[in-house]
Amino acid sequence: MKLNRRVFLASLPFFPKALAAPRGLRVGVDACPYCFMTILDARHAAQAVNPQGKAFFYDDPACLLDQLNGWGGPSLTAKEVYLADFAESSRTAPKWVAAEKALLYHNPKVRTPMGSGLLAFRSREALERHLKERPERVGGRVLAWAEALKEGEKRTWVPADFFPPPPKAP
């Protein structure tokens, strides 16, 4: 019994890395903590996991960006952030990609749940395939997650006429 306990205690430092993985989204059940909309299309979903391991799901990457930048919703410290790969996800099942590895495509003409025009892709090749299939969406710009966060410090990603933000938290 003591040997098992020692092995368990010795392995504890390795658990956080082993547990770093996206959690399961329940489409039609989970609601966004920023705008309170029920998530109905997993292709646009985003996910943040706090340091305690609780997962928060978002109906649009813009909601997560705005909440992380203090534009509304409860204060959030994210230990892990995932975005649904628009090209590989279906309406009912997301294929998650770590936000730091994803490419964001921004085009205001693209309809998204909150009107942000943000789509996430696992790779540039996936984005280019998508634009070849949907040429009406050409003309946007490509951003890394860090660039989108930085831009979100100055203005909200969710259009203010769609969802007026509260004053930015200090």
Side-chain angles (χ1 to χ4, degrees):
M1 183 72 167
K2 286 186 180 183
L3 179 59
N4 288 341
R5 185 173 166 188
R6 284 186 189 159
V7 169
F8 175 75
L9 292 174
S11 66
L12 281 178
F14 301 105
F15 276 134
K17 289 184 182 179
L19 296 176
R23 305 334 187 249
L25 169 66
R26 299 170 302 163
V27 174
V29 176
D30 289 324
C32 177
Y34 182 77
C35 69
F36 307 110
M37 286 177 47
T38 301
I39 300 165
L40 298 175
D41 190 340
R43 298 174 301 170
H44 300 283
Q47 176 182 164
V49 181
N50 71 10
Q52 293 76 33
K54 180 169 174 47
F56 298 90
F57 297 98
Y58 298 81
D59 62 320
D60 191 308
C63 288
L64 175 55
L65 284 162
D66 286 355
Q67 188 170 1
L68 287 172
N69 277 312
W71 289 107
S75 177
L76 174 67
T77 302
K79 182 179 172 190
E80 305 165 44
V81 178
Y82 302 98
L83 305 173
D85 179 345
F86 188 82
E88 293 182 26
S89 300
S90 69
R91 289 181 185 271
T92 58
K95 296 285 185 190
W96 298 110
V97 60
E100 315 77 57
K101 296 180 181 177
L103 284 176
L104 289 168
Y105 181 70
H106 178 244
N107 186 335
K109 294 179 188 175
V110 176
R111 291 183 56 155
T112 59
M114 292 302 290
S116 69
L118 281 172
L119 301 176
F121 294 90
R122 183 176 305 277
S123 66
R124 185 167 292 278
E125 293 78 24
L127 169 59
E128 289 171 0
R129 273 193 314 274
H130 175 73
L131 293 176
K132 192 177 274 189
E133 293 168 6
R134 302 288 304 268
E136 72 276 10
R137 292 183 171 179
V138 172
R141 59 195 177 111
V142 179
L143 300 150
W145 178 252
E147 293 172 314
L149 271 173
K150 184 116 178 104
E151 192 171 318
E153 292 173 359
K154 298 178 189 117
R155 64 161 183 92
T156 62
W157 278 101
V158 173
D161 57 337
F162 193 81
F163 187 76
K168 188 167 181 183

